[in-house]
Amino acid sequence: MFKLLKEIFRTGEATVKYPFAPLPVEKDMRGKPEHEAERCIACAACTIACPANAIGMTTDVQAATRTWSIDYGRCVFCGRCEEVCPTDAIRLSTEFELAVARREDLTRRAVFRLARCEVCDTPFAVAKEVAYVQDLIEATAPGAEDAAQRRRLVATCPSCKRLHDVDQLEKLGVGRRIEETRR
Protein backbone atom coordinates (compact mmCIF):
# COMPACT_ATOMS: atom_id res chain seq x y z
CA MET A 1 0.00 0.00 0.00
CA PHE A 2 2.80 2.42 0.88
CA LYS A 3 4.53 1.50 -2.35
CA LEU A 4 1.41 2.53 -4.31
CA LEU A 5 1.07 5.85 -2.45
CA LYS A 6 4.75 6.56 -3.02
CA GLU A 7 4.29 5.95 -6.75
CA ILE A 8 1.21 8.23 -6.87
CA PHE A 9 3.07 11.12 -5.20
CA ARG A 10 6.07 10.61 -7.48
CA THR A 11 3.97 10.57 -10.66
CA GLY A 12 1.85 13.62 -9.84
CA GLU A 13 -1.50 14.41 -11.41
CA ALA A 14 -2.40 12.31 -14.42
CA THR A 15 -5.50 14.29 -15.41
CA VAL A 16 -6.28 17.92 -16.13
CA LYS A 17 -8.57 20.14 -14.07
CA TYR A 18 -11.01 20.65 -16.97
CA PRO A 19 -13.80 21.97 -16.77
CA PHE A 20 -12.68 23.90 -13.67
CA ALA A 21 -9.56 25.16 -15.42
CA PRO A 22 -9.17 25.96 -19.13
CA LEU A 23 -8.01 23.07 -21.26
CA PRO A 24 -4.77 23.85 -23.10
CA VAL A 25 -5.21 23.34 -26.85
CA GLU A 26 -2.75 23.23 -29.73
CA LYS A 27 -2.66 26.21 -32.09
CA ASP A 28 -3.60 24.00 -35.08
CA MET A 29 -6.65 22.48 -33.40
CA ARG A 30 -9.80 22.42 -35.51
CA GLY A 31 -12.50 24.17 -33.56
CA LYS A 32 -15.64 26.10 -34.38
CA PRO A 33 -15.64 27.89 -37.76
CA GLU A 34 -15.76 31.67 -37.31
CA HIS A 35 -17.47 33.60 -40.11
CA GLU A 36 -16.59 37.23 -40.92
CA ALA A 37 -19.57 38.65 -42.77
CA GLU A 38 -17.57 41.76 -43.77
CA ARG A 39 -15.15 39.65 -45.82
CA CYS A 40 -17.74 37.17 -47.14
CA ILE A 41 -19.04 37.54 -50.70
CA ALA A 42 -21.72 34.82 -50.29
CA CYS A 43 -20.39 32.82 -53.24
CA ALA A 44 -21.75 29.54 -51.76
CA ALA A 45 -18.44 27.68 -52.11
CA CYS A 46 -18.60 26.77 -48.41
CA THR A 47 -22.17 25.54 -48.79
CA ILE A 48 -21.18 23.16 -51.55
CA ALA A 49 -18.05 21.94 -49.73
CA CYS A 50 -19.72 21.25 -46.36
CA PRO A 51 -20.17 17.45 -46.02
CA ALA A 52 -22.49 17.78 -43.00
CA ASN A 53 -24.77 20.37 -44.67
CA ALA A 54 -24.17 22.65 -41.69
CA ILE A 55 -23.82 25.71 -43.93
CA GLY A 56 -26.76 26.87 -46.02
CA MET A 57 -28.03 29.82 -48.02
CA THR A 58 -31.54 31.01 -48.75
CA THR A 59 -32.53 33.73 -51.19
CA ASP A 60 -35.49 36.06 -50.75
CA VAL A 61 -36.05 37.69 -54.14
CA GLN A 62 -38.86 39.91 -52.84
CA ALA A 63 -36.59 41.47 -50.20
CA ALA A 64 -33.54 41.23 -52.52
CA THR A 65 -31.46 39.47 -49.85
CA ARG A 66 -29.50 36.24 -49.45
CA THR A 67 -29.11 34.76 -45.97
CA TRP A 68 -26.01 32.74 -45.11
CA SER A 69 -26.31 30.47 -42.05
CA ILE A 70 -24.29 27.88 -40.16
CA ASP A 71 -25.66 25.33 -37.71
CA TYR A 72 -22.90 24.44 -35.25
CA GLY A 73 -24.99 21.48 -34.06
CA ARG A 74 -24.41 19.82 -37.45
CA CYS A 75 -20.83 21.00 -38.00
CA VAL A 76 -18.10 18.31 -37.76
CA PHE A 77 -15.22 20.84 -37.77
CA CYS A 78 -13.67 19.31 -40.89
CA GLY A 79 -12.30 22.61 -42.20
CA ARG A 80 -13.48 22.25 -45.81
CA CYS A 81 -15.31 25.57 -45.64
CA GLU A 82 -12.07 27.29 -44.68
CA GLU A 83 -10.20 25.61 -47.54
CA VAL A 84 -12.59 26.70 -50.30
CA CYS A 85 -13.37 30.25 -49.18
CA PRO A 86 -11.81 32.64 -51.74
CA THR A 87 -11.79 35.63 -49.38
CA ASP A 88 -10.75 33.87 -46.13
CA ALA A 89 -14.06 34.82 -44.54
CA ILE A 90 -14.23 31.51 -42.66
CA ARG A 91 -11.48 30.50 -40.24
CA LEU A 92 -11.43 27.61 -37.82
CA SER A 93 -10.93 28.81 -34.26
CA THR A 94 -9.67 26.84 -31.26
CA GLU A 95 -13.05 27.16 -29.54
CA PHE A 96 -14.73 23.80 -29.11
CA GLU A 97 -17.13 24.28 -26.19
CA LEU A 98 -20.56 24.71 -27.73
CA ALA A 99 -22.89 24.02 -24.81
CA VAL A 100 -26.07 26.11 -25.08
CA ALA A 101 -29.48 26.10 -23.43
CA ARG A 102 -31.47 26.16 -26.70
CA ARG A 103 -30.72 24.55 -30.06
CA GLU A 104 -31.46 27.84 -31.87
CA ASP A 105 -28.42 29.38 -30.14
CA LEU A 106 -26.16 27.12 -32.24
CA THR A 107 -27.14 28.90 -35.46
CA ARG A 108 -25.45 32.03 -36.83
CA ARG A 109 -26.73 34.09 -39.76
CA ALA A 110 -25.54 36.85 -42.05
CA VAL A 111 -27.74 38.72 -44.54
CA PHE A 112 -26.40 40.04 -47.84
CA ARG A 113 -27.98 42.47 -50.28
CA LEU A 114 -28.58 41.29 -53.86
CA ALA A 115 -27.36 43.31 -56.85
CA ARG A 116 -29.88 44.33 -59.48
CA CYS A 117 -29.43 43.68 -63.18
CA GLU A 118 -28.35 46.76 -65.13
CA VAL A 119 -30.77 45.87 -67.94
CA CYS A 120 -33.99 44.63 -66.31
CA ASP A 121 -33.48 45.72 -62.65
CA THR A 122 -34.23 42.28 -61.16
CA PRO A 123 -32.12 41.02 -58.22
CA PHE A 124 -29.86 38.17 -59.34
CA ALA A 125 -26.63 37.85 -57.30
CA VAL A 126 -25.04 39.13 -54.10
CA ALA A 127 -23.75 42.67 -54.63
CA LYS A 128 -20.45 41.93 -52.88
CA GLU A 129 -19.86 38.92 -55.14
CA VAL A 130 -20.56 40.97 -58.28
CA ALA A 131 -18.14 43.67 -57.10
CA TYR A 132 -15.50 41.02 -56.29
CA VAL A 133 -15.76 39.48 -59.77
CA GLN A 134 -15.75 42.90 -61.42
CA ASP A 135 -12.53 43.81 -59.61
CA LEU A 136 -10.91 40.53 -60.68
CA ILE A 137 -11.96 41.01 -64.29
CA GLU A 138 -10.87 44.64 -64.38
CA ALA A 139 -7.40 43.64 -63.17
CA THR A 140 -7.01 41.21 -66.10
CA ALA A 141 -8.62 43.31 -68.86
CA PRO A 142 -6.26 44.41 -71.64
CA GLY A 143 -7.78 47.88 -71.99
CA ALA A 144 -10.15 50.35 -70.32
CA GLU A 145 -12.91 49.86 -72.90
CA ASP A 146 -12.70 46.07 -72.56
CA ALA A 147 -12.76 46.38 -68.76
CA ALA A 148 -15.91 48.54 -68.88
CA GLN A 149 -17.64 46.05 -71.19
CA ARG A 150 -16.73 43.17 -68.90
CA ARG A 151 -17.98 45.06 -65.82
CA ARG A 152 -21.35 45.62 -67.53
CA LEU A 153 -21.54 41.94 -68.49
CA VAL A 154 -20.94 40.83 -64.88
CA ALA A 155 -23.65 43.22 -63.65
CA THR A 156 -26.23 41.64 -65.99
CA CYS A 157 -28.54 38.78 -64.99
CA PRO A 158 -28.37 35.43 -66.84
CA SER A 159 -31.71 35.99 -68.64
CA CYS A 160 -30.56 39.30 -70.10
CA LYS A 161 -27.21 37.75 -71.05
CA ARG A 162 -29.03 35.03 -73.00
CA LEU A 163 -31.17 37.62 -74.82
CA HIS A 164 -28.03 39.62 -75.64
CA ASP A 165 -26.31 36.47 -76.95
CA VAL A 166 -29.30 35.62 -79.15
CA ASP A 167 -29.27 39.16 -80.56
CA GLN A 168 -25.55 38.91 -81.29
CA LEU A 169 -25.99 35.55 -83.03
CA GLU A 170 -28.80 36.96 -85.18
CA LYS A 171 -26.61 39.90 -86.18
CA LEU A 172 -23.89 37.49 -87.23
CA GLY A 173 -26.39 35.37 -89.18
CA VAL A 174 -25.50 32.18 -87.32
CA GLY A 175 -29.10 30.91 -87.38
CA ARG A 176 -29.24 31.23 -91.16
CA ARG A 177 -25.94 29.35 -91.55
CA ILE A 178 -27.15 26.51 -89.35
CA GLU A 179 -30.35 26.19 -91.41
CA GLU A 180 -28.31 26.17 -94.64
CA THR A 181 -26.06 23.36 -93.39
CA ARG A 182 -29.09 21.23 -92.44
CA ARG A 183 -30.46 21.31 -96.01
Side-chain angles (χ1 to χ4, degrees):
M1 178 75 163
F2 288 113
K3 188 176 180 181
L4 178 61
L5 286 173
K6 182 180 173 183
E7 186 65 28
I8 289 172
F9 287 123
R10 187 182 65 76
T11 305
E13 293 183 11
T15 61
V16 293
K17 300 279 186 208
Y18 183 79
F20 304 109
L23 184 67
V25 294
E26 297 295 323
K27 66 178 179 75
D28 293 334
M29 181 195 155
R30 289 187 195 171
K32 174 176 116 176
E34 293 291 338
H35 179 252
E36 291 182 47
E38 300 81 35
R39 298 182 81 176
C40 183
I41 59 172
C43 64
C46 56
T47 339
I48 295 166
C50 184
N53 291 330
I55 302 174
M57 287 194 183
T58 56
T59 304
D60 183 2
V61 179
Q62 301 300 329
T65 60
R66 180 168 293 159
T67 305
W68 180 95
S69 65
I70 184 167
D71 182 0
Y72 290 117
R74 293 187 60 95
C75 184
V76 294
F77 307 151
C78 66
R80 289 188 182 172
C81 54
E82 179 184 40
E83 292 171 3
V84 300
C85 185
T87 60
D88 293 329
I90 298 179
R91 286 273 165 217
L92 293 182
S93 68
T94 56
E95 185 181 343
F96 62 93
E97 298 170 323
L98 299 175
V100 292
R102 299 177 315 149
R103 176 130 173 90
E104 297 84 37
D105 295 338
L106 289 173
T107 304
R108 299 286 181 265
R109 288 182 170 68
V111 179
F112 299 94
R113 184 179 52 83
L114 294 179
R116 295 193 170 271
C117 175
E118 286 187 357
V119 178
C120 66
D121 199 44
T122 59
F124 72 99
V126 176
K128 288 173 76 174
E129 183 180 16
V130 171
Y132 178 79
V133 172
Q134 285 177 332
D135 291 343
L136 286 177
I137 286 177
E138 189 171 326
T140 60
E145 184 179 315
D146 192 43
Q149 182 181 4
R150 290 178 182 188
R151 286 182 76 79
R152 279 192 306 277
L153 189 61
V154 170
T156 306
C157 72
S159 299
C160 292
K161 283 180 189 173
R162 278 192 288 281
L163 291 173
H164 178 267
D165 290 346
V166 168
D167 291 342
Q168 293 297 321
L169 290 174
E170 284 179 4
K171 287 179 185 175
L172 294 173
V174 173
R176 218 170 342 152
R177 289 184 201 148
I178 291 173
E179 289 176 11
E180 290 173 3
T181 57
R182 287 184 183 168
R183 290 182 197 169

